[in-house]
Amino acid sequence: MTLSTRRQAKRAARREARRALPLWRRLLPTWRVTLGTLTALLLLAVGAFAVLYVIVPVPDPNAHAVAQNNIYLYSDGTTEIARTGAVNRTDVTIDQIPLQTQQAVVSAEDRTFYQNRGIDLKGMLRAGWNTLLGKGMQGGSTITQQYVKNYYLTQDQTFERKGRELFIALKVDQQRDKKDILAGYLNSSYFGRGAYGIQSAAHAYYGVDVSGLTLGQGAYLASLLQAPSLYDVKTATPANREKAIARWNYALDGMVQLGFLTQADRAATTFPDPIDPQPATGLSGQAGYLVGVADDYLISSGIIDAPTLKAGGWRITTTFEKPRQDAFVKAVQDELTDELDPKARPTTDTDIRVAGASVDPATGRVVAVYGGPDYAKQPYNDALRQDNQIGSTFKPVDLAAGLIAQHTLDGRPITTESRYDGSSERPVTGGPTPYAPPNEDDVDYGNITLRYAMVKSVNSVYAQEGVDAGLTRVRETAVKLGIPDSVRGMDPANTSMTLGTATPSALDLAGAYATFANHGEAHTPWSVLKLERVNPGGAVDVPKMPDHKATTAMDRSIADSVTDVLRDVVSPRGTGAAALDLNRPAAGKTGTTDSNLSAWFAGFTPELTTTVGLFRENPKSHAKEPLAGTAGLTRINGGAFPTKIWTDYMTAALNGTATQQFDLQTGRTNPDPGNWTPTGTPGSTPPSTGPTPGNATATTGAPAPTTHTHAPSAPPATTGAPAPNPAAPSPQNPQPTPSPEQPSPTARPTQTRPTKPTSQPTGTTGPTNSATTPAQ
């Protein structure tokens, strides 16, 4: 019998034997069929697994996983201003996380983390079995799987998501280093108290940076990963508190078991109670205004664009100094808010708003701003708005332009001691549009110097002097000083430009006055010291910051000459008399606009420049309303509340610093720095007699005053400067003839500071040409 015949006979015998079995037994498959089926299924599963492993990609991170907040810090680099963004998370590198904290997390969450391939089959089978038994969807994930779920997928409890998690975890484990996976897990996990990521958790539970976590603190944060909300011992029930502490002990015991911690160190570790939950650091109070200034600077200077900034994850160290910022807020409260009574005066003491900014003139650093009382209640940042006229605070620009020109258009010299007709409503001649501005209270000052006209803020004089200097030159000077050329109200086609129809922000104006304080060297105000972001994977973005180099806006002698004149404004007879309470060398200028729609004081000491603006705005229509009647006063001038706020703030901001004297190089002998206050008494000579300027010191080499009783017949300049007259006196070409009205420095008496005025000082009105007033 052949081999083939024997095989056929055996198969036939097996069939006969099976037919002889009972029916139920014949329905069961033979072991051969069973083995073959199982082998086929196994091969099919392996093939399917291989196919799925290939076709299931590692997706891009989900939006929530990469969302971070921006953290804004004061200039000290540690005191937090605010956190912005929907997700409270700040990524850190693995090197920033203490090693013991890393080990505590591994001990609590996945003790085979450093050995497994990204998945735990036993845990997954156990979880699957419990799910089939109706115990709900169960976990069983490794740290890698949890990271994949947090970073790439969603929190949905479905078989489809769990399957994708498995394949992605395997791939991630093959493609990523264990350190990167652990860092990604700790940056994407939720720890409770609204904190995503271990950096935010360290701040939320212990008020420290992640790098400052102790062993016990790191172990507690590791224990929170299992049940973040339930295990917060400050809010947990007694039973959950016990569970949280038990979980903390489990993490530490695991560290001993894995060889990360000695038994002695374990025994010495006590449970570290976290701090009480803190309210979220949002944008309320001053925070929103400071964030707005910082963001505006970053975007407008081209350091980063708006979408990149909004994407989050940035740690932004600003130039703002918290003590000075707090001082600004307190000054507004003490000098203005406490004087208002909205209940008694609902039509005048409501909707009063303040805009302020403070800048270091030597560097351009913005040290404080006042954008409003509370960003949560008033989200518009008044420190940055460019829709309020600045009035007579613009007159120093007119004077600077005249000193740059050196001569009027018809050849007469312009110096700080040049004389003009100060008659109220004297028509300006030579201007492009008719203009005859009144002086405040319609006072006629007669024949006075430009210095004295600044002290008393005489409109008729500076309206004419600005035209004499050339309106185009006035505009160019303003822009060089730091006033943006895009603001409204600086059109040389309107004569009224000379009296401050321009609408720069408080920060813009502070930058311009800082140029005077810095001897003609201009810095664009800036508000961010450092910018950095940690990316997924540990790479750190550190955009290049500008160099902040100064540009020369004008010769030092001209800037210092303007400062010298502005020092006389802060005198007993000047409109800035209230600033004498600072008891330091100071210079500044008041400003009040037409119809009393705004009031300003812009001033500086050698080391700090600050502007304060006051206005009233209808909260519904946003129309500007007169300040008249505020706090029961008939009129609000720049010498009133703005100067008082300025003085209060500057007193606190400079407290503890040495008093600095002005170092002026004006082309004439400077006053004795030990006797810095200007001469004079609160009274003054009747204006029609042409009073002597308060600080018009004349020595050999000082320019002789030049009388300007009428405007030149030539039209205003539109381009370029007139040909200079080398024989004419000017700051650059002084004449030896002194003015008989100008006492020498040695004769200058020591000034006694006056009592703080109880009524508002006389200020100044601004432009009266309503046609040039911007729409409100």
Side-chain angles (χ1 to χ4, degrees):
M1 182 180 293
T2 66
L3 180 59
S4 175
T5 304
R6 285 198 300 269
R7 287 177 178 174
Q8 291 178 1
K10 287 181 179 180
R11 285 198 292 271
R14 285 197 298 271
R15 287 195 294 270
E16 288 299 328
R18 189 169 181 78
R19 291 192 188 99
L21 294 174
L23 178 62
W24 66 269
R25 181 65 182 81
R26 294 200 303 269
L27 295 176
L28 295 177
T30 65
W31 66 269
R32 289 183 176 83
V33 173
T34 301
L35 180 60
T37 301
L38 292 176
T39 300
L41 291 175
L42 179 61
L43 292 173
L44 182 62
V46 170
F49 186 90
V51 170
L52 290 173
Y53 181 84
V54 171
I55 66 174
V56 174
V58 176
D60 292 331
N62 63 64
H64 188 272
V66 296
Q68 301 182 61
N69 53 20
N70 288 328
I71 299 177
Y72 295 80
L73 305 172
Y74 281 102
S75 60
D76 60 12
T78 57
T79 306
E80 192 169 304
I81 298 173
R83 290 172 180 248
T84 64
V87 178
N88 179 20
R89 172 178 33 242
T90 303
D91 287 350
V92 292
T93 64
I94 194 67
D95 294 332
Q96 293 174 269
I97 305 171
L99 180 59
Q100 287 188 322
T101 299
Q102 300 175 39
Q103 294 167 341
V105 171
V106 170
S107 300
E109 292 293 300
D110 182 7
R111 294 183 179 178
T112 66
F113 172 68
Y114 290 112
Q115 291 79 41
N116 66 46
R117 296 303 183 94
I119 63 173
D120 179 2
L121 289 176
K122 289 174 59 177
M124 293 177 63
L125 290 173
R126 180 179 63 252
W129 180 252
N130 288 333
T131 300
L132 290 174
L133 292 178
K135 297 181 180 180
M137 293 297 294
Q138 299 290 302
S141 301
T142 62
I143 283 178
T144 306
Q145 287 176 271
Q146 293 179 62
Y147 164 58
V148 166
K149 177 180 64 176
N150 294 338
Y151 193 71
Y152 296 107
L153 302 175
T154 67
Q155 304 299 315
D156 296 339
Q157 295 291 327
T158 64
F159 283 110
E160 187 272 338
R161 196 273 298 161
K162 198 70 177 176
R164 293 183 66 209
E165 175 189 302
L166 171 69
F167 291 106
I168 296 171
L170 287 169
K171 284 190 172 183
V172 167
D173 187 76
Q174 291 294 315
Q175 298 171 4
R176 304 279 295 278
D177 185 86
K178 288 288 187 181
K179 284 187 176 182
D180 293 340
I181 294 171
L182 184 58
Y185 172 61
L186 290 175
N187 282 323
S188 60
S189 295
Y190 182 62
F191 288 82
R193 296 192 180 185
Y196 290 86
I198 196 164
Q199 171 76 311
S200 297
H203 281 279
Y205 286 92
Y206 292 106
V208 299
D209 192 80
V210 64
S211 60
L213 289 172
T214 65
L215 167 62
Q217 292 169 345
Y220 176 62
L221 295 184
S223 69
L224 285 169
L225 290 165
Q226 187 179 63
S229 300
L230 295 179
Y231 286 177
D232 185 343
V233 295
K234 288 294 184 179
T235 58
T237 63
N240 283 333
R241 178 181 173 85
E242 289 183 7
K243 291 179 180 178
I245 295 176
R247 184 69 176 176
W248 176 77
N249 283 312
Y250 171 77
L252 291 174
D253 291 341
M255 292 180 70
V256 174
Q257 177 184 332
L258 295 173
F260 297 144
L261 187 66
T262 66
Q263 189 61 53
D265 289 340
R266 165 70 182 92
T269 305
T270 57
F271 183 77
D273 269 322
I275 61 177
D276 291 331
Q278 304 295 306
T281 308
L283 298 178
S284 61
Q286 293 297 300
Y289 305 123
L290 301 182
V291 167
V293 173
D295 285 356
D296 181 74
Y297 166 70
L298 288 171
I299 296 170
S300 64
S301 61
I303 298 172
I304 56 175
D305 57 30
T308 304
L309 180 61
K310 188 177 180 181
W314 295 101
R315 184 180 179 89
I316 302 165
T317 303
T318 70
T319 59
F320 306 124
E321 300 174 11
K322 192 174 191 310
R324 286 176 166 174
Q325 183 64 36
D326 292 343
F328 218 143
V329 175
K330 187 175 186 298
V332 174
Q333 180 68 41
D334 293 347
E335 297 295 341
L336 174 65
T337 309
D338 288 350
E339 300 298 319
L340 302 178
D341 190 347
K343 292 184 179 179
R345 296 182 290 269
T347 60
T348 60
D349 282 14
T350 55
D351 308 319
I352 307 298
R353 300 171 74 148
V354 176
S358 190
V359 173
D360 175 359
T363 63
R365 288 175 53 161
V366 184
V367 299
V369 296
Y370 188 87
D374 185 347
Y375 189 80
K377 298 177 181 177
Q378 180 196 297
Y380 196 91
N381 194 336
D382 290 333
L384 296 178
R385 66 189 305 160
Q386 295 177 330
D387 61 351
N388 288 301
Q389 293 182 350
I390 60 172
S392 292
T393 58
F394 193 79
K395 286 174 182 172
V397 180
D398 298 324
L399 177 58
L403 296 180
I404 291 171
Q406 303 184 38
H407 304 86
T408 64
L409 296 177
D410 62 353
R412 287 172 290 124
I414 299 178
T415 74
T416 59
E417 314 310 322
S418 297
R419 290 183 173 273
Y420 276 78
D421 182 358
S423 300
S424 183
E425 298 189 78
R426 185 184 67 79
V428 175
T429 59
T433 55
Y435 196 37
N439 297 328
E440 185 165 25
D441 296 326
D442 207 30
V443 174
D444 290 323
Y445 287 89
N447 189 23
I448 58 175
T449 65
L450 288 176
R451 178 183 297 274
Y452 191 75
M454 188 74 75
V455 171
K456 290 298 186 183
S457 199
V458 182
N459 289 333
S460 58
V461 168
Y462 275 95
Q464 185 65 61
E465 186 273 340
V467 170
D468 289 350
L471 295 183
T472 297
R473 180 179 286 107
V474 171
R475 174 187 167 83
E476 291 172 351
T477 301
V479 173
K480 288 181 178 179
L481 283 166
I483 295 179
D485 60 2
S486 58
V487 301
R488 292 176 295 181
M490 284 207 303
D491 184 359
N494 291 317
T495 308
S496 60
M497 180 188 77
T498 54
L499 297 188
T501 56
T503 60
S505 69
L507 185 55
D508 298 330
L509 188 60
Y513 270 67
T515 304
F516 289 130
N518 198 35
H519 312 294
E521 297 297 307
H523 288 280
T524 300
W526 54 282
S527 54
V528 175
L529 289 167
K530 187 177 181 181
L531 182 68
E532 59 183 345
R533 178 176 65 178
V534 177
N535 293 311
V540 180
D541 286 336
V542 184
K544 187 180 187 315
M545 304 299 288
D547 294 331
H548 307 299
K549 293 182 179 179
T551 60
T552 300
M554 60 188 62
D555 289 343
R556 174 169 182 164
S557 62
I558 293 175
D560 285 359
S561 294
V562 174
T563 295
D564 185 41
V565 172
L566 295 182
R567 291 171 68 242
D568 283 351
V569 175
V570 183
S571 70
R573 62 181 178 179
T575 58
L580 286 170
D581 282 341
L582 179 61
N583 200 28
R584 284 177 180 257
K589 184 67 188 76
T590 55
T592 310
T593 59
D594 191 29
S595 302
N596 206 185
L597 294 179
S598 62
W600 292 84
F601 185 73
F604 52 91
T605 63
E607 60 270 64
L608 193 61
T609 302
T610 301
T611 57
V612 178
L614 192 69
F615 62 99
R616 187 163 181 257
E617 181 173 287
N618 186 299
K620 294 183 179 178
S621 66
H622 300 289
K624 300 298 188 300
E625 298 179 343
L627 289 167
T630 300
L633 301 176
T634 303
R635 181 172 57 199
I636 303 300
N637 293 326
F641 291 120
T643 306
K644 293 177 181 178
I645 293 170
W646 183 93
T647 305
D648 192 324
Y649 162 72
M650 291 287 282
T651 300
L654 297 174
N655 183 40
T657 65
T659 298
Q660 295 186 27
Q661 305 294 331
F662 283 107
D663 176 22
L664 303 182
Q665 299 176 12
T666 63
R668 66 185 183 88
T669 303
N670 290 329
D672 178 5
N675 182 21
W676 58 267
T677 49
T679 61
T681 61
S684 62
T685 307
S688 61
T689 64
T692 302
N695 192 25
T697 309
T699 61
T700 301
T706 304
T707 301
H708 292 240
T709 56
H710 57 83
S713 57
T718 56
T719 59
N725 181 352
S730 71
Q732 293 73 27
N733 186 27
Q735 299 294 317
T737 307
S739 166
E741 294 184 26
Q742 297 171 340
S744 67
T746 57
R748 187 177 188 177
T750 301
Q751 173 188 306
T752 302
R753 291 175 65 250
T755 304
K756 186 174 182 179
T758 56
S759 60
Q760 66 183 36
T762 301
T764 174
T765 59
T768 58
N769 188 346
S770 59
T772 63
T773 303
Q776 306 298 327

